[in-house]
Amino acid sequence: ACDRDPDRTADPRGRRLDMRHRHLLRATAVVAGLAPFLVPELVSAHGVTGRDAAFVQSIDGPAIGPFLYLGAKHMVTGYDHLAFLVGVIFFLYRLKDVLLYVSLFTLGHSTTLLLGGLGGIHANAYIIDAIIGLSVAYKAFENMDGFERLGLRFEKRAAVMVFGLFHGFGLATKLQEFTLSANGLVTNIVSFNVGVEIGQMLALTGVLIAISFWRTRPGFLRYSFAANTVLMTVGFMLIGYQLAGYFQS
């Protein structure tokens, strides 16, 4: 009996905290173990496949349907964008708040997508994608009350919009990798942007349904810290992968 820790046995919160840390370590270990396989897949999904790239470069003139499809496909398979949106809506319980934050994100990424696609504004794809990874880690850390514990406060809505600008540049850099015909370029870029919004709406609907269901379960708050730790870990892995590509290029 003398070997037992009186504080741990007397306070059930200590046991809950201990369990929380164990779940957290397990989840992080799983993500770290999958990193060599997971991160390249996530990054490659963010790009445009060879078949789609060849098709895009062969188009001469307005092609609304194909670019709508490509935009929607890019967003649905753009796991870095979706990971950020998961972080954004993770603790948003009211639909009007979800619509507000998603609208700010949409305004940000639509602006830079159009500027990059039509205005000829270029940026290094590796650096932009590293910042996108940072946005995922940032939002997860914010959900864990990390900044509040450090005594730091940032305007959440402004942060979502600013990161949206970088996400839009990430989309634009993918189009800038190809030689697009000037004939119908405006129509095609706008169609791609609309497709992105359609894909975002479809993906977000699925994410909202999943998170809303999870919130009805007693384990939501118990595992929310671990879930955001995993999200933050993925963000940091994306940063590392993109920075490695930048220094090797």
Side-chain angles (χ1 to χ4, degrees), residues 183-199:
N183 184 17
L185 180 62
V186 174
T187 299
N188 292 338
I189 295 297
V190 171
S191 297
F192 182 84
N193 187 48
V194 173
V196 165
E197 305 315 322
I198 293 173

Side-chain angles (χ1 to χ4, degrees), residues 22-213:
R22 282 202 292 270
H23 289 309
L24 175 60
L25 289 172
R26 287 173 186 167
T28 305
V30 168
V31 173
L34 292 174
F37 312 99
L38 179 64
V39 175
E41 289 299 320
L42 294 180
V43 175
S44 64
H46 178 75
V48 180
T49 63
R51 182 181 300 177
D52 290 340
F55 176 73
V56 165
Q57 295 183 100
S58 69
I59 292 176
D60 183 20
I64 296 176
F67 275 89
L68 282 173
Y69 165 76
L70 288 173
K73 178 182 178 181
H74 186 87
M75 178 55 78
V76 171
T77 59
Y79 301 118
D80 45 1
H81 303 304
L82 296 180
F84 178 69
L85 285 174
V86 168
V88 169
I89 69 173
F90 197 88
F91 284 123
L92 295 180
Y93 290 87
R94 296 184 299 181
L95 182 59
K96 69 175 186 178
D97 290 331
V98 173
L99 292 175
L100 173 62
Y101 279 84
V102 171
S103 296
L104 290 171
F105 177 71
T106 299
L107 178 61
H109 76 67
S110 294
T111 299
T112 46
L113 172 56
L114 294 174
L115 286 175
L118 298 174
I121 299 177
H122 289 74
N124 185 279
Y126 287 114
I127 297 300
I128 293 298
D129 284 345
I131 295 174
I132 291 174
L134 175 63
S135 73
V136 176
Y138 171 94
K139 195 59 193 175
F141 189 64
E142 182 183 79
N143 288 343
M144 296 158 63
D145 293 329
F147 294 113
E148 192 170 318
R149 292 173 184 174
L150 293 175
L152 301 173
R153 291 185 179 274
F154 301 101
E155 170 53 50
K156 295 181 179 181
R157 289 169 292 188
V160 168
M161 185 169 178
V162 169
F163 279 127
L165 295 172
F166 287 101
H167 279 256
F169 264 129
L171 294 166
T173 57
K174 300 303 172 286
L175 292 178
Q176 290 171 353
E177 294 174 357
F178 312 113
T179 303
L180 301 179
S181 172
N183 184 17
L185 180 62
V186 174
T187 299
N188 292 338
I189 295 297
V190 171
S191 297
F192 182 84
N193 187 48
V194 173
V196 165
E197 305 315 322
I198 293 173
Q200 177 177 284
M201 182 176 63
L202 293 174
L204 193 60
T205 300
V207 170
L208 273 175
I209 291 173
I211 290 182
S212 297
F213 174 76

